[in-house]
Amino acid sequence: MVIQLWEGLNEFYSFFVLVYFILINLTYLTLLITSLPSILNYIRKNAVFDYRSILKSELAPSISVLVPAYNEEKSIIQSIHALLKLYYSNLEVVVINDGSRDSTLQRMIEHFGLVKVHKEFEESLPAAAVRGIYRSTLLPFDKLIVVDKNNGGKSDALNCGVNIASSKLVCSVDADSILEPDALLRVVKPFIEDSTRVVASGGIVRIVDGCEVENGFVKSVHLSKKWLPTFQVNEYLRSFLTGRVGWSAINGLMVISGAFGLFDKKTLIKCGGFRTDSIGEDMELVTRIHRILREEKRDYRVVFVPDPVCWTEAPKDLKTLSRQRNRWHRGLIDTMKLHRKMLFNPRYGVIGMLAFPYYFIFEMIGPFVELTGIIFVLLSFYLHIVDVYFFILFLVVAVIYGIFLSIGAILLEEYTFHRYPDPKDITRLIAFAFIENLGYRQMTAWWRVKGGFDYLRGVVTWGAMNRSGFDSKSEKSPAAR
Amino acid sequence: MAFLIVSLSVAVLISIVIALSLFVLTRKIARWFLSEYDSRLSNSLATEFYALILADTEMSADEIRRHCGALRRNRGFFKRKRTIRVGKSVLLKLVKEINGEELERARDLYRIMGCASLAVIELRDHRWWKRADAVSELGAMKVKESLDQVLELVSDKDETVRIKALEAGLEIGGPEILPVMIEALPEVTLWTIMNLAKILDPHLRESDSMILSLLNSKKKDLRKFAIIMLGLTKSVSSVPQLVNIASSGDKDEAAYALQALSFIEDPRAIPAALQALDTGTPEVKTKATLLLGQLGETDAVPSISPLLSDTDAAVRISAAHALARLGESGLSILMISALENGTPAQRASMQVLDELKIGVDERTADFQW
């Protein structure tokens, strides 16, 4: 009786998984296919686009780079120096010391010759109390503003930065990330080309592990010799070069990475800024922007630009990686829950009918389907009711399809930006596209499922991220939040 | 049956994966070993060849044509299908470096090779990048016969092509045809404005009256562009018209006009700026206060000082910046306001006094367009 019941359940579940598998892979394939012409078109435009025109022009929109900093005493000076050297004439750098417990503020005061000043600003977004605003007395650092405030978290610090920023556009940057010198010129381009419609744009985030970093800039690009960062390079390529480019092409982009995103300040304020009680504040903000602007029936665009690069450090141990994936998944569920009325709601156009359902069905539920599938298979083997041939073939199709998508993303990277000059690196990436199916994918699925349960339990912590710092010549960087 | 279908799918997928992997790797390795060598060789040979032809001023068109034919037939030189492409790109590079008779000869050579006709055909290509390349080429080579076709592309659906057509049109037809081209633009985005400013830069003297005429255009974007350009070029002759716009009903254009006037620094703008302080939007008020500060109009102090308590923070700060530039009377008001406790006027005044103290010229941020 139990076996019969199990057989029935197994049959139903197998059918469900098959349909799910076909749908998810068709979606990924469509994204891959739509990405290619978009990227090629972008590269062709770049070939005739003179970025010096933006650099020289008095008409280029002003940008305030917002850098929330919490206990960053070891790396903050170098980060600020690198940001002040970015190629952009109409720029100010606003560093928000979010109640650091170490000597982050003191180090900035001493190094940049900061003095406390008055600054008039409107508290358009709610944020923790500002303790002081500092400016440099030294001419080379006149574009630097340091805000000291009570601790309120990253979103709170960003909101405070938005209030103080005097530019038309605000760019959120993580203190522990590295922007390429021309990243701002590239990410601002959509705002210049379509100034009336573009409200946000984001650049690509790449893994810095293995690269040679000097004075806050990436000198040469290499793949890490370690396994975990290499797996993540493949994941990032899939996510950014196929996923985000594809969604951006149909104005369905729901995420702009918190590590590097450019927003129209007025729109950001109008939509309420960064949510302080959200774990995935970057995705939540972009989804909210879509929601509000669609409700207002405004003609707008949220754009992904595939080549302004923000380099970030990847978790190098399983514990840190598990915490990161757990948090990402909690953030995703939180966003889905907050904006659930958009799901399959034609009022929200592409977002309501395609992007939101994609994130809900494939990104949010996906890990649960993957893990329950494994459990079902193991139980079916135990009860001897599995069609072994069919199972093996299905497994092989699934794995090879996954490899196909990964290699598609590597091909796209190699065909377009080819940032990894050494053929050995590309060979390794292809090899890792095969290996990742033998445990890594299942492991990340488990962490995400665990994140889902943690969300239900009400866990709201960020989880410490152990980072070792970029610069081979510098000392080890501190632990971030 | 199901088994067969799934087996076939597996086989197809495996083949695709292997093929893709091989393609990626082969491409990478090939690029690594060959690309640099190949392109350098082709370019250096072609450069040598064209330099030879260009140097021989006695060479007739027929002889050049014969040489080009030989070049196309000679497989050992470089691949036949690449001949025209590489040759053309070398010529385009050369015209940037040569002048006088040599330049004219290079342009003739371009026509003789049949490149001009090909470029004109490519102007109708469905791919925007082909149209953009073709129109740039015709501009660089000053192919006068193609002017009409180039002008048609000023209203192309792609912005990059439009900008390239503007550049090429100016190159071929000179600054006289600029008004026609600008009026033909279907939309004027910020990117177009930035490029137009760049294109017009060498022709500013001749184009002043043309830009002035754009102030009467029916297109709002064009009027905005004209105001910005007149400001950037500090056109004194445009002051009466800009003053009119600053006092007109359109608040958006008024703000731009006040901004342009603050670049020109002409005292005829003072009445319009004073009027804007009472009637304008926050943006207009901001620009008007800055203009008065820029002109050093000390009589405006009583009109500006109430704006230190305006509801808009940008207006308060610009008022403080303006007062800081209006001599003792302005500064004393700032210092008195700085003594008030916790008021918006105090915060704005303190900010500007601090900026003066530490030597930061924050006022430049207010002069953004």
Side-chain angles (χ1 to χ4, degrees), chain A residues 76-323:
Chain A
I76 193 71
I77 303 296
Q78 197 182 39
S79 300
I80 295 173
H81 270 292
L83 289 170
L84 288 168
K85 281 184 212 155
L86 289 176
Y87 303 158
Y88 203 81
S89 47
N90 224 340
L91 174 76
E92 73 175 7
V93 176
V94 183
V95 181
I96 309 109
N97 177 44
D98 191 24
S100 295
R101 290 179 191 165
D102 63 0
S103 59
T104 303
L105 180 67
Q106 202 49 41
R107 288 211 63 192
M108 287 192 282
I109 290 173
E110 284 164 13
H111 188 87
F112 297 107
L114 302 178
V115 290
K116 205 169 185 176
V117 295
H118 291 83
K119 185 157 172 67
E120 169 69 317
F121 63 93
E122 279 191 42
E123 288 188 39
S124 313
L125 298 171
V130 172
R131 297 194 286 226
I133 297 173
Y134 297 82
R135 300 292 302 260
S136 176
T137 48
L138 308 170
L139 190 64
F141 309 123
D142 67 340
K143 296 290 173 201
L144 174 66
I145 298 174
V146 173
V147 185
D148 182 33
K149 65 180 274 289
N150 290 337
N151 182 264
K154 186 183 170 186
S155 299
D156 190 80
L158 284 170
N159 284 341
C160 177
V162 173
N163 289 338
I164 284 162
S166 58
S167 305
K168 285 177 182 168
L169 306 175
V170 287
C171 180
S172 63
V173 174
D174 282 353
D176 49 18
S177 297
I178 298 174
L179 290 189
E180 292 213 329
D182 61 354
L184 285 180
L185 289 174
R186 290 174 189 273
V187 82
V188 80
K189 190 179 148 201
F191 283 91
I192 292 172
E193 286 178 324
D194 196 355
S195 52
T196 51
R197 293 200 305 155
V198 174
V199 294
S201 72
I204 189 166
V205 177
R206 288 175 183 265
I207 304 284
V208 75
D209 299 64
C211 300
E212 194 187 328
V213 181
E214 208 178 293
N215 298 324
F217 289 112
V218 172
K219 284 279 168 195
S220 62
V221 181
H222 300 286
L223 207 58
S224 172
K225 299 274 180 268
K226 292 178 182 160
W227 283 53
L228 270 187
T230 312
F231 281 130
Q232 290 170 73
V233 170
N234 264 344
E235 283 183 304
Y236 276 53
L237 286 181
R238 271 200 309 268
S239 162
F240 282 93
L241 285 186
T242 60
R244 295 195 190 179
V245 172
W247 286 118
S248 176
I250 54 169
N251 199 21
L253 185 67
M254 276 180 59
V255 197
I256 283 179
S257 172
F260 183 35
L262 187 64
F263 298 89
D264 172 52
K265 188 183 164 188
K266 276 185 189 166
T267 310
L268 191 59
I269 290 173
K270 186 183 175 181
C271 294
F274 293 86
R275 255 184 103 104
T276 48
D277 57 352
S278 177
I279 315 146
E281 80 291 336
D282 43 6
M283 184 184 194
E284 196 284 324
L285 172 68
V286 179
T287 311
R288 186 153 31 91
I289 288 175
H290 278 296
R291 183 175 168 172
I292 292 171
L293 299 187
R294 293 254 175 195
E295 281 169 1
E296 286 181 357
K297 294 192 167 62
R298 205 174 120 181
D299 187 15
Y300 74 98
R301 279 177 66 209
V302 175
V303 185
F304 175 74
V305 195
D307 72 342
V309 181
C310 171
W311 295 93
T312 192
E313 213 181 331
K316 280 177 267 308
D317 58 89
L318 290 175
K319 204 174 169 186
T320 315
L321 184 64
S322 74
R323 278 199 290 253

Side-chain angles (χ1 to χ4, degrees), chain B residues 76 82 89 122 126 145 171 194 203 236 279 285 311 347 350:
Chain B
R82 289 187 63 191
S89 70
E122 281 188 353
H126 67 282
E145 302 83 349
E171 198 69 49
M194 281 165 76
H203 308 277
V236 180
T279 56
K285 281 184 193 173
T311 49
R347 291 199 298 268
M350 288 299 289

Side-chain angles (χ1 to χ4, degrees), chain B residues 53-299:
Chain B
I53 294 179
L54 293 174
D56 187 355
T57 48
E58 299 299 313
M59 199 181 283
S60 68
D62 277 343
E63 275 177 292
I64 292 173
R65 207 172 282 126
R66 199 153 41 78
H67 276 287
C68 292
L71 179 67
R72 258 176 245 153
R73 281 191 300 277
N74 192 346
R75 266 180 174 275
F77 193 27
F78 43 79
K79 283 178 189 168
R80 191 187 300 171
K81 67 174 182 181
R82 289 187 63 191
T83 306
I84 288 283
R85 191 158 59 84
V86 175
K88 212 164 63 174
S89 70
V90 170
L91 264 185
L92 287 166
K93 269 185 216 162
L94 279 177
V95 292
K96 287 177 192 160
E97 294 159 15
I98 53 181
N99 44 38
E101 203 178 329
E102 229 180 10
L103 177 63
E104 287 311 312
R105 213 164 158 72
R107 284 174 173 158
D108 287 345
L109 182 57
Y110 176 81
R111 285 190 188 84
I112 291 165
M113 282 171 70
C115 298
S117 330
L118 284 173
V120 170
I121 293 168
E122 281 188 353
L123 291 180
R124 298 197 180 278
D125 199 287
H126 67 282
R127 291 160 295 185
W128 69 263
W129 60 92
K130 289 276 177 192
R131 297 198 298 278
D133 282 349
V135 81
S136 296
E137 250 179 70
L138 292 168
M141 292 299 177
K142 275 198 176 174
V143 182
K144 288 210 165 96
E145 302 83 349
S146 67
L147 184 61
D148 289 344
Q149 287 94 329
V150 169
L151 289 181
E152 271 177 40
L153 286 195
V154 171
S155 46
D156 193 89
K157 60 184 178 208
D158 186 273
E159 192 177 23
T160 310
V161 178
R162 293 201 293 268
I163 290 166
K164 294 286 169 195
L166 281 171
E167 285 171 352
L170 190 67
E171 198 69 49
I172 301 169
E176 309 90 71
I177 59 162
L178 260 173
V180 185
M181 289 203 292
I182 293 176
E183 277 291 349
L185 284 168
E187 59 170 340
V188 187
T189 64
L190 179 59
W191 180 232
T192 308
I193 293 177
M194 281 165 76
N195 276 283
L196 272 172
K198 195 177 83 179
I199 294 167
L200 285 174
D201 199 41
H203 308 277
L204 283 177
R205 284 194 177 176
E206 310 101 281
S207 53
D208 199 43
S209 57
M210 182 275 292
I211 300 171
L212 264 172
S213 71
L214 287 178
L215 287 176
N216 303 319
S217 170
K218 283 177 185 167
K219 292 179 187 169
K220 197 177 172 183
D221 286 342
L222 278 184
R223 293 200 301 273
K224 192 170 120 184
F225 160 71
I227 297 169
I228 292 172
M229 283 307 297
L230 291 168
L232 291 179
T233 57
K234 298 188 176 165
S235 161
V236 180
S237 57
S238 67
V239 171
Q241 273 159 293
L242 289 175
V243 167
N244 269 344
I245 296 168
S247 330
S248 75
D250 190 316
K251 302 296 178 197
D252 192 28
E253 282 180 22
Y256 276 102
L258 288 164
Q259 172 91 336
L261 286 165
S262 60
F263 274 73
I264 302 168
E265 295 185 43
D266 192 301
R268 283 176 287 173
I270 291 170
L274 284 169
Q275 187 197 331
L277 292 183
D278 299 326
T279 56
T281 57
E283 208 183 350
V284 170
K285 281 184 193 173
T286 305
K287 302 295 181 195
T289 46
L290 288 169
L291 169 59
L292 291 166
Q294 187 79 359
L295 292 171
E297 178 57 19
T298 45
D299 291 347

